[in-house]
């Protein structure tokens, strides 16, 4: 019986009902052997269906493993002798149809010890009858065995999970490499010893087989990230930084600011260009003849028209401000303290420049405003000013907006497309639409954190923009568990006053985006594997110098940065291929 439970507990995939059925068969076989052993010691004469035991054949074993057979029927059938005559078979058939407690003590054959002898005079018959009367005990024992089997299986699973959490991956790999079969030593898991049940007969063979049994499930190598609050000083500082940055998109919800922005935007021009582009996209989709929809919706075309106007007509890029006296070039003199008026418009930094003309020498201040009200009046700046002002204008025309912060000193915008059902990358500085790899592939820029902030919360979107390991920097500001905790905290704060339906809709959107980001990682790994399986290309590339044509860029993606002076671009290491 121990060997049976050991075998099916090692397998790990046997149904408990099937295990119980096999336990019934094993019990019947054990009792048959026990009766046969006593019959060998007792004197016999003639054929006796109840006293003699026939050898167990494979055909009978198959018959006994059939479902819906009780232990009593199995034991009765085992007692049959395939060599008995017809009269003995008839007598055996009558005994099977007669209840065990109503078998007559004398049937007119007193000379044969199986028919007329009282149960006490024939040892084998007495044992057989006592077995029939103990059917309730056998069923109770089977239930106990099933419970023990379930408990044993549950214990082994928990032991495997505990081992995977407490041991390091390198230790598990060394253990598996030293033991390819994955077997565990007896001392490694004391809970794997066989249970001591009533009537259980242990043996050295069964215990050794049980102690050397392999684990049911291999310990998981990678565990899911569980959010945990920041513990060290650096993580707490990073948490405060992200919390302060998350306030930026909330300023776009000011109704007075949005009304003023709509007065600045040439709506007739924007909506006219959007209508023409949208109709062209619809005609292109209909010409395919397969019922497909246009690639972009009308609202997407509105943002694309707004992007062109903002880049070409509205906002201006400032490398060095010109002298306001003689309009000559200026020389950077460093940073200076903001004035009260500049601090009122959230100018945390003020750059100081001096006129390069000898006869002028005037100083020029360039405050880096963070207030959107002031930005739509000055209409100039660099990365931060461009992304801040453009994101607010996108919100003014009715789009859902994200303000994306990069730890390597760059910011941009994301707008939600209802047609694509995803967030679209938009960079007003580069007039870039849906080109998320422009920074890593186009500028050859390495990045660590890309966090998107909106009125609905915060999301780590680094995987959308960094898809290869050679473009990634070390994420050392906090642990991944703390990063997930911070984004969840900001998300819960922004959604605390929303209705249940709105929160449910946003949660579905978050799950869809997380699936999208996972897809980018999988596609990147697949591409690296495909590239490694092409040795001919690498062999050819060794024989010729590398050129710009060797770099595979996304469609319509610029190779170099378009905004900013070359000196400033080189200082930021965003020069691309040059």
């Amino acid at each position: 019986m121990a060997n049976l439970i050991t075998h099916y507990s090692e397998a790990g995939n046997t149904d408990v009902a099937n295990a119980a059925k096999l336990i019934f068969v094993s019990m019947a076989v054990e009792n048959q052997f026990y009766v046969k052993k006593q019959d060998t010691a007792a004197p016999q004469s003639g054929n006796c269906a109840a006293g003699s035991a026939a050898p167990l054949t494979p055909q009978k074993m198959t018959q006994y493993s059939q479902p819906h057979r009780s232990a009593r029927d199995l034991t009765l059938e085992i007692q049959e002798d395939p060599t008995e005559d017809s009269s003995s078979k008839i007598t055996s058939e009558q005994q099977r149809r007669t209840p065990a407690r109503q078998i007559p003590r004398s049937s007119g054959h007193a000379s044969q010890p199986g028919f007329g002898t009282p149960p006490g005079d024939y040892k084998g018959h007495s044992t057989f009858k006592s077995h029939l009367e103990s059917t309730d005990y056998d069923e109770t024992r089977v239930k106990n065995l099933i419970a023990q089997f379930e408990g044993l299986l549950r214990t082994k699973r928990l032991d495997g999970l505990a081992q995977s959490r407490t041991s390091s991956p390198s230790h598990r790999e060394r253990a598996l490499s030293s033991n390819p079969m994955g077997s565990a030593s007896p001392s490694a898991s004391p809970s794997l010893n066989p249970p001591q049940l009533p009537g259980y007969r242990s043996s050295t063979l069964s215990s050794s087989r049980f102690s050397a049994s392999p684990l049911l499930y291999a310990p998981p190598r990678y565990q899911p990230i569980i959010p945990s609050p920041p513990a060290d000083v650096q993580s707490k500082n990073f948490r405060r930084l992200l919390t302060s940055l998350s306030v930026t998109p909330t300023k776009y919800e000011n109704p007075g600011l949005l009304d003023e922005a709509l007065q600045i935007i040439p709506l007739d021009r924007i909506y006219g260009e959007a209508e023409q582009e949208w109709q062209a996209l619809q005609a292109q989709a209909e010409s395919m003849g397969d019922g497909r929809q246009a690639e972009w919706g009308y609202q997407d075309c509105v943002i694309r028209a707004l992007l062109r106007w903002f880049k070409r007509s509205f906002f201006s890029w400032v490398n060095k401000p010109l002298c306001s006296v003689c309009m000559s070039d200026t020389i950077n003199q460093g940073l200076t303290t903001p004035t009260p008026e500049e601090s009122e418009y959230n100018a945390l930094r003020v750059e100081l420049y001096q006129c390069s003309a000898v006869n002028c020498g005037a100083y020029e201040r360039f405050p880096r405003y963070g207030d959107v009200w002031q930005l739509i009046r000055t209409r100039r700046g660099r990365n931060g000013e461009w992304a801040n002002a453009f994101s607010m204008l996108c919100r003014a025309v009715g789009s859902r907006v994200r303000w994306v912060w990069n730890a390597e000193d760059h910011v941009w915008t994301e707008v939600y497309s209802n047609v694509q059902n995803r967030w679209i990358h938009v960079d007003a500085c580069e007039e870039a639409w849906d080109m998320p790899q422009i920074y890593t592939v186009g500028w050859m820029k390495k990045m660590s954190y890309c966090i998107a902030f909106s009125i609905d919360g915060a999301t780590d979107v680094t995987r959308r923009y960094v898809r290869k390991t050679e473009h990634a920097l070390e994420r050392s500001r906090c642990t991944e568990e703390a990063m997930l905790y911070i984004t969840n905290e900001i998300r819960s704060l922004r959604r605390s006053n929303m209705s249940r339906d709105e929160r449910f809709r946003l949660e579905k959107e978050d799950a869809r985006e997380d699936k999208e980001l996972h897809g980018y990682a999988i596609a990147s790994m697949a591409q690296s594997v495909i590239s490694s399986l092409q040795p001919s290309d690498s062999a050819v590339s060794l024989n010729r110098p590398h050129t710009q044509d060797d770099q595979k860029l996304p469609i319509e993606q610029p190779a170099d940065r378009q905004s900013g002076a070359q000196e400033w671009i080189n200082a930021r290491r965003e020069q691309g291929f040059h």
Side-chain angles (χ1 to χ4, degrees), residues 441-557:
V441 180
W443 299 359
M444 302 301 294
K445 183 182 181 69
K446 294 185 177 182
M447 299 187 292
S448 57
Y449 294 95
C450 299
I451 313 299
F453 300 98
S454 68
I455 191 61
D456 301 326
T459 306
D460 185 358
V461 294
T462 309
R463 289 174 292 180
R464 176 176 291 129
Y465 301 95
V466 183
R467 304 185 186 181
K468 294 183 179 180
T469 55
E470 56 266 26
H471 299 150
L473 292 177
E474 182 182 2
R475 295 163 62 97
S476 58
R477 295 201 177 187
C478 68
T479 62
E480 295 301 323
E481 292 79 6
M483 183 72 242
L484 185 59
Y485 179 88
I486 295 171
T487 54
N488 289 344
E489 182 182 36
I490 298 175
R491 188 177 299 172
S492 300
L493 178 64
R494 299 289 174 240
R495 301 178 183 181
S496 58
N497 296 327
M498 294 183 179
S499 63
R500 183 179 62 180
D501 295 340
E502 184 68 13
R503 289 197 302 268
F504 181 72
R505 183 186 64 82
L506 292 175
E507 288 174 0
K508 291 178 61 178
E509 182 180 297
D510 295 337
R512 185 166 57 248
E513 183 180 22
D514 190 63
K515 183 179 179 181
E516 173 195 350
L517 298 179
H518 276 293
Y520 292 140
I522 295 173
S524 176
M525 290 186 293
Q527 183 64 31
S528 62
V529 172
I530 294 175
S531 300
S532 64
L533 296 178
Q534 297 176 352
S536 58
D537 296 342
S538 60
V540 173
S541 62
L542 294 176
N543 299 328
R544 60 180 176 85
H546 290 275
T547 62
Q548 180 175 345
D549 296 335
D550 295 336
Q551 304 291 338
K552 296 181 179 180
L553 304 179
I555 301 176
E556 299 180 359
Q557 177 168 303

Side-chain angles (χ1 to χ4, degrees), residues 71 90 143 212 225 285 296 379 408 451 486 500 512 561:
I90 296 175
K143 293 180 180 179
I225 298 178
W296 303 107
R379 303 183 183 183
E408 284 66 44
I451 313 299
I486 295 171
R500 183 179 62 180
R512 185 166 57 248
R561 178 161 188 167

Side-chain angles (χ1 to χ4, degrees), residues 223-361:
Q223 298 291 340
I225 298 178
I226 300 177
S228 60
D232 57 298
V233 178
Q234 185 179 11
S235 300
K236 293 179 180 179
N237 293 336
F238 191 55
R239 175 188 182 183
R240 284 192 289 269
L241 173 62
L242 295 182
T243 304
S244 62
L245 292 175
S246 66
V247 182
T248 301
T250 61
K251 300 175 182 178
Y252 306 153
E253 304 301 319
N254 189 330
L257 175 64
L258 298 179
D259 291 340
E260 184 175 350
L262 290 176
Q263 296 177 4
I264 296 175
I265 300 174
L267 296 179
D268 295 339
R269 172 184 172 181
I270 299 300
Y271 289 136
E273 293 181 3
E275 182 70 24
Q276 293 179 2
E277 184 179 10
W278 184 54
Q279 290 179 0
L281 292 174
Q282 281 188 321
Q284 182 181 2
E286 292 176 358
S287 65
M288 303 302 294
D290 53 2
R292 68 176 63 183
Q293 296 182 354
E295 182 180 6
W296 303 107
Y298 177 76
Q299 185 63 24
D300 301 331
C301 295
V302 170
I303 299 299
R304 288 163 64 95
L306 181 67
L307 176 63
R308 291 189 294 268
W309 167 79
F310 187 89
K311 167 72 175 180
R312 303 173 187 179
S313 305
F314 182 71
F315 227 72
S316 60
W317 183 272
V318 176
N319 292 314
K320 296 178 181 180
L322 298 177
C323 179
S324 58
V325 178
C326 63
M327 303 304 293
S328 300
D329 293 335
T330 58
I331 301 174
N332 188 4
Q333 302 296 318
L335 299 177
T336 186
T337 305
T339 63
E341 183 181 359
E342 293 170 343
S343 299
E344 183 181 355
Y345 294 106
N346 196 21
L348 303 180
R349 295 186 304 160
V350 177
E351 300 175 1
L352 184 63
Y353 295 86
Q354 187 179 11
C355 181
S356 61
V358 179
N359 56 353
C360 182

Side-chain angles (χ1 to χ4, degrees), residues 395-444:
R395 188 72 186 104
V397 296
S399 292
R400 295 176 56 195
V401 178
R402 274 178 173 177
W403 180 75
V404 184
W405 171 83
N406 171 237
E408 284 66 44
D409 193 21
H410 193 60
V411 286
W412 58 87
T413 308
E414 285 184 352
V415 295
Y416 191 80
S417 172
N418 293 322
V419 175
Q420 297 277 346
N421 285 327
R422 61 183 178 92
W423 289 95
I424 307 299
H425 159 261
V426 185
D427 194 326
C429 301
E430 306 300 306
E431 198 178 328
W433 170 267
D434 197 21
M435 297 180 182
Q437 298 187 73
I438 186 176
Y439 312 114
T440 56
V441 180
W443 299 359
M444 302 301 294

Side-chain angles (χ1 to χ4, degrees), residues 73-343:
D73 294 338
L74 293 173
T75 309
L76 285 171
E77 293 179 7
I78 290 174
Q79 306 306 318
E80 294 183 2
D81 189 352
T83 61
E84 62 187 356
D85 54 10
S86 60
S87 60
S88 300
K89 292 181 179 179
I90 296 175
T91 305
S92 177
E93 181 67 23
Q94 292 176 354
Q95 290 178 348
R96 283 197 296 268
R97 296 179 179 177
T98 305
R101 300 181 182 275
Q102 299 179 5
I103 296 178
R105 298 197 177 191
S106 178
S107 58
H109 298 275
S111 61
Q112 297 184 7
F115 291 89
T117 308
D121 298 337
Y122 183 56
K123 188 179 299 184
H125 187 77
S126 175
T127 305
F128 173 65
K129 182 176 180 181
S130 63
H131 167 71
L132 294 179
E133 294 177 352
S134 62
T135 303
D136 296 336
Y137 168 77
D138 291 339
E139 294 178 354
T140 303
R141 179 184 176 191
V142 167
K143 293 180 180 179
N144 294 335
L145 289 175
I146 294 175
Q148 292 291 339
F149 178 82
E150 294 175 346
L152 179 62
L153 185 62
R154 188 181 303 109
T155 302
K156 293 182 69 177
R157 290 177 177 173
L158 293 177
D159 289 345
L161 182 59
Q163 180 183 2
S164 65
R165 291 183 175 177
T166 56
S167 61
S168 62
S170 59
H171 175 73
R172 294 197 300 270
E173 291 175 359
R174 289 195 298 268
L176 291 176
S177 61
S178 61
N179 189 359
M181 298 302 295
S183 60
S185 60
S187 60
S189 181
S191 62
L192 298 182
N193 294 329
Q196 299 296 333
L197 301 176
Y200 176 82
R201 296 194 301 273
S202 63
S203 63
T204 305
L205 178 61
S206 62
S207 61
S208 63
R209 286 182 56 190
F210 200 93
S211 61
S213 61
L215 293 175
L216 293 178
Y217 299 98
R221 188 172 182 178
Y222 301 102
Q223 298 291 340
I225 298 178
I226 300 177
S228 60
D232 57 298
V233 178
Q234 185 179 11
S235 300
K236 293 179 180 179
N237 293 336
F238 191 55
R239 175 188 182 183
R240 284 192 289 269
L241 173 62
L242 295 182
T243 304
S244 62
L245 292 175
S246 66
V247 182
T248 301
T250 61
K251 300 175 182 178
Y252 306 153
E253 304 301 319
N254 189 330
L257 175 64
L258 298 179
D259 291 340
E260 184 175 350
L262 290 176
Q263 296 177 4
I264 296 175
I265 300 174
L267 296 179
D268 295 339
R269 172 184 172 181
I270 299 300
Y271 289 136
E273 293 181 3
E275 182 70 24
Q276 293 179 2
E277 184 179 10
W278 184 54
Q279 290 179 0
L281 292 174
Q282 281 188 321
Q284 182 181 2
E286 292 176 358
S287 65
M288 303 302 294
D290 53 2
R292 68 176 63 183
Q293 296 182 354
E295 182 180 6
W296 303 107
Y298 177 76
Q299 185 63 24
D300 301 331
C301 295
V302 170
I303 299 299
R304 288 163 64 95
L306 181 67
L307 176 63
R308 291 189 294 268
W309 167 79
F310 187 89
K311 167 72 175 180
R312 303 173 187 179
S313 305
F314 182 71
F315 227 72
S316 60
W317 183 272
V318 176
N319 292 314
K320 296 178 181 180
L322 298 177
C323 179
S324 58
V325 178
C326 63
M327 303 304 293
S328 300
D329 293 335
T330 58
I331 301 174
N332 188 4
Q333 302 296 318
L335 299 177
T336 186
T337 305
T339 63
E341 183 181 359
E342 293 170 343
S343 299

